[in-house]
Amino acid sequence: MDFRNIINSTRQYNFHSHTQYCDGRADMASMAASAVASGMLHYGFTPHSPIPFKSPCNMAFECVDEFFDEAERLRHLPELASCRFYTGMEIDYIDNSWGPANEYFRTLPLDYSIGSVHFIPSQSGEPVDIDGHFDNFKRRMSEHFRGDIDYVVDTFFAQSRAMIEAGGFDILGHFDKVGQNASLYAPGIEDGEHYSTLVQSLIDQIIEKDLTIELNTKAYAEHGRFFPGLRYLPQLVKAGITIVVNSDAHHPDRIDASRADAFAILDRLKNA
């Protein structure tokens, strides 16, 4: 997909959303109707990909065909004709054997994919979800990571760098998402030299490979945060990186959430 052409022609798009097939709070039809009602011209469904172990947040392998069938049905409904709908997937990078570059995803009729890191291996090698609510993160820090926040942060960015090297995705998803829970667990960690070095290494990789990234607005209304954080945007804008503004919507009311705020910030940076 030519994301740069789309985002240069309109701001009425959202390429990151979730429905009943993963951890979304509404079915695809409801999300599609809300997208049309909000004036969207381009809208992508991106369920969390199937993964080779049980997860309540990820699509089951047996639901994949149903997902594509439902998307095709919605595309032919006259009342939704004003918006173009895409079948994407937010693919979890687990390790070199499972991620966006895996052959399985190449067999699917995807319009595009988002590459994201939500799971990292514990010190014992068990994949653990570090995304989501802080209460769960705090519990998992004790149960799975021996309270070692440096290990969690280092491993998250190592996983992200490995995913980028492996490739296979079209949009890099919320590449500093770990910062939200890490900062709640260890206030000030994002201001430290070590964390800054980790993020800068990832940004250098993004610029070198000229990736398309998202500016994820999901947490802005509640937590005052974008992903990537505001402190990293000037360098990315100056480098000419293609930035897609996505709401990561899990509910029909959140399809356009905080996207206007994100565009205002990007406009100021581009005009500076």
Side-chain angles (χ1 to χ4, degrees):
M1 283 180 60
D2 187 352
F3 291 104
R4 180 168 292 186
N5 184 58
I6 291 173
I7 68 175
N8 285 339
S9 64
T10 182
R11 292 183 171 183
Q12 297 305 109
Y13 66 81
N14 182 38
F15 292 112
H16 191 163
S17 69
H18 299 280
T19 67
Q20 81 273 25
Y21 289 111
C22 54
D23 61 348
R25 297 295 184 263
D27 57 37
M28 288 176 68
S30 298
M31 297 294 278
S34 184
V36 168
S38 67
M40 290 291 169
L41 301 178
H42 300 271
Y43 190 82
F45 297 107
T46 53
H48 290 289
S49 69
I51 52 178
F53 52 87
K54 288 185 178 181
S55 166
C57 294
N58 289 74
M59 172 183 272
F61 284 96
E62 57 266 28
C63 292
V64 171
D65 288 342
E66 182 181 327
F67 161 67
F68 285 107
D69 289 344
E70 177 63 359
E72 188 63 18
R73 184 186 75 84
L74 294 174
R75 287 188 181 112
H76 289 88
L77 294 180
E79 61 268 31
L80 302 179
S82 61
C83 181
R84 181 171 180 179
F85 292 96
Y86 302 86
T87 47
M89 194 169 280
E90 185 176 16
I91 303 176
D92 274 297
Y93 180 85
I94 306 300
D95 54 31
N96 285 336
S97 68
W98 194 262
N102 187 277
E103 182 63 29
Y104 169 75
F105 298 107
R106 298 180 189 176
T107 68
L108 301 179
L110 293 170
D111 293 313
Y112 67 95
S113 63
I114 300 172
S116 297
V117 173
H118 299 95
F119 295 84
I120 66 168
S122 67
Q123 291 94 327
S124 61
E126 175 192 8
V128 179
D129 186 355
I130 61 166
D131 199 51
H133 294 294
F134 176 67
D135 288 345
N136 292 329
F137 179 85
K138 185 178 180 180
R139 174 174 52 80
R140 289 164 186 162
M141 283 297 302
S142 174
E143 293 178 353
H144 299 282
F145 297 111
R146 307 169 195 165
D148 191 343
I149 190 63
D150 289 332
Y151 171 84
V152 169
V153 169
D154 289 351
T155 305
F156 174 87
F157 284 108
Q159 291 284 89
S160 300
R161 292 192 299 271
M163 180 180 70
I164 290 173
E165 286 302 319
F169 59 89
D170 301 291
I171 300 173
L172 178 62
H174 47 57
F175 71 74
D176 64 338
K177 185 84 182 293
V178 70
Q180 179 171 311
N181 278 333
S183 288
L184 291 172
Y185 189 83
I189 191 172
E190 290 180 279
D191 299 321
E193 182 178 352
H194 181 64
Y195 188 95
S196 298
T197 299
L198 291 172
V199 178
Q200 187 59 54
S201 177
L202 194 63
I203 290 175
D204 290 343
Q205 194 179 17
I206 290 167
I207 293 173
E208 177 188 353
K209 294 186 177 294
D210 193 25
L211 299 180
T212 295
I213 69 168
E214 71 171 4
L215 178 51
N216 189 303
T217 68
K218 177 185 176 183
Y220 187 69
E222 183 177 357
H223 299 288
R225 297 188 65 120
F226 290 118
F227 305 110
L230 295 180
R231 69 181 76 185
Y232 310 121
L233 287 177
Q235 184 180 3
L236 293 161
V237 170
K238 184 177 180 180
I241 292 299
T242 301
I243 301 175
V244 180
V245 179
N246 287 331
S247 71
D248 194 354
H250 287 61
H251 190 281
D253 292 342
R254 306 293 294 167
I255 281 174
D256 205 23
S258 301
R259 293 179 70 253
D261 300 287
F263 280 123
I265 292 167
L266 288 176
D267 286 342
R268 287 198 295 270
L269 290 173
K270 291 175 182 177
N271 297 324

